[in-house]
Amino acid sequence: MYKIKLTQFEGPLDLLLFFIKRDELNIYDIPISKITKDFMDYLKMLQQLDLEIAGDFILMAATLMQIKVKMLLPKEVDEKGEEIDPRADLVKALLEYKRYKEMTEEFSFMESNMRNYNFRSNFEYDEKEKPANLDILLKNISLYDLIKAFKKVIESKKEEPVHQIKKWNVTIEEQMDYIGEKIKSKKRIEFKELMKEMANKIKIVVTFIAVLEMVKSGKIGIEESPNFNDFIIYGLSDG
């Protein structure tokens, strides 16, 4: 069984903030039905990849469903006779997390700037290899977009009746080599085209993981495709 860990979203609040920013929603007046649907769709994508989903995501999904139900019921009122918004606690948590995240990013920016200073001292600079810049390699594309493209390819493969058990001998390393050969011959290739010759889902899953591993190691880059639910893979000259 192949498992990967998604690091783009640090938790359920981070995912909700992504949806709010992406769709330009009012954080004080969240359309709970829409954001619940987006959240549940994302969880289904993770399950299809057979990823280990943190309990916090499951708990947030239950919380969103509970808020959605309360929004359909008659409004409750507090001691002053004012209506109680079922989303109030969620909005408060999102605002606190947003402030925390912005502060963390500010500290990270300050730390990054400090690394540009070289103070005279008697030590050697110990960073031997510059890590891959994922912001450059992932051009205008998020992990959410990658999973959507992957889901589209999986759904396009019709299930065939199986009459005997087959063991598919395929490894991530083999698929990385396969992708490398495709990039050498075509320089740039769309994800759907790369998967066109693959008849079984396990090979598609392993190849998708191989794409992520090659991006992480700086061997390839990916960018948006003009085609809906797809992305372009391209080789790097120094990869």
Side-chain angles (χ1 to χ4, degrees):
M1 187 70 65
Y2 298 94
K3 297 181 184 292
I4 61 175
K5 180 180 178 183
L6 298 181
T7 57
Q8 182 182 6
F9 302 116
E10 298 174 350
L13 290 176
D14 203 24
L15 177 58
L16 290 179
L17 280 179
F18 166 77
F19 290 142
I20 290 171
K21 182 178 180 181
R22 182 195 65 185
D23 298 332
E24 299 180 350
L25 303 177
N26 183 354
I27 197 171
Y28 295 97
D29 188 21
I30 300 171
I32 202 69
S33 293
K34 172 176 173 50
I35 207 164
T36 300
K37 180 181 182 302
D38 290 345
F39 194 94
M40 296 304 295
D41 287 344
Y42 184 82
L43 285 185
K44 289 178 182 176
M45 291 180 190
L46 297 188
Q47 290 171 340
Q48 193 163 19
L49 279 174
D50 195 27
L51 303 175
E52 294 179 353
I53 303 173
D56 288 343
F57 281 84
I58 304 293
L59 179 61
M60 178 57 74
T63 301
L64 289 172
M65 295 300 293
Q66 185 180 35
I67 294 174
K68 186 177 179 181
V69 171
K70 286 184 177 181
M71 295 287 289
L72 300 175
L73 298 175
K75 300 289 186 181
E76 296 182 6
V77 296
D78 57 18
E79 296 176 354
K80 297 180 181 179
E82 297 178 351
E83 290 185 353
I84 300 175
D85 190 342
R87 302 167 296 180
D89 290 339
L90 177 61
V91 171
K92 181 180 178 182
L94 282 169
L95 290 173
E96 289 179 354
Y97 180 80
K98 185 171 181 287
R99 285 194 290 267
Y100 168 82
K101 185 175 181 179
E102 289 172 350
M103 186 177 296
T104 302
E105 291 173 350
E106 181 65 23
F107 283 140
S108 178
F109 177 76
M110 293 169 61
E111 181 185 17
S112 178
N113 275 352
M114 287 301 297
R115 290 178 179 175
N116 294 329
Y117 290 91
N118 243 346
F119 297 97
R120 186 170 58 189
S121 185
N122 188 24
F123 62 88
E124 293 183 358
Y125 187 61
D126 59 0
E127 184 174 291
K128 304 301 181 185
E129 183 177 339
K130 186 176 180 181
N133 189 336
L134 296 182
D135 289 335
I136 294 177
L137 300 183
L138 299 172
K139 293 182 179 177
N140 300 322
I141 192 168
S142 69
L143 193 52
Y144 184 77
D145 297 320
L146 297 185
I147 295 177
K148 283 179 66 179
F150 170 80
K151 180 173 179 286
K152 197 70 177 177
V153 171
I154 285 289
E155 290 176 345
S156 68
K157 299 294 180 182
K158 295 182 179 179
E159 294 288 345
E160 297 181 358
V162 178
H163 303 289
Q164 60 182 8
I165 299 176
K166 293 182 180 180
K167 183 177 180 181
W168 300 102
N169 294 319
V170 57
T171 66
I172 296 176
E173 289 74 18
E174 289 173 350
Q175 294 313 101
M176 288 173 69
D177 291 339
Y178 170 78
I179 295 168
E181 290 300 319
K182 287 289 186 180
I183 295 297
K184 281 182 182 178
S185 61
K186 294 194 174 184
K187 304 301 180 185
R188 296 164 62 86
I189 185 171
E190 291 192 339
F191 178 67
K192 288 182 180 178
E193 183 180 350
L194 180 69
M195 299 294 186
K196 190 180 297 182
E197 300 175 1
M198 299 180 191
N200 59 83
K201 290 187 177 181
I202 184 62
K203 201 165 187 178
I204 292 175
V205 171
V206 176
T207 306
F208 181 70
I209 297 172
V211 169
L212 298 180
E213 287 293 334
M214 292 180 76
V215 171
K216 183 179 177 181
S217 61
K219 295 180 180 179
I220 62 172
I222 56 179
E223 63 183 30
E224 288 180 305
S225 168
N227 297 322
F228 186 65
N229 282 337
D230 203 356
F231 58 90
I232 296 173
I233 304 169
Y234 61 91
L236 298 174
S237 57
D238 57 347

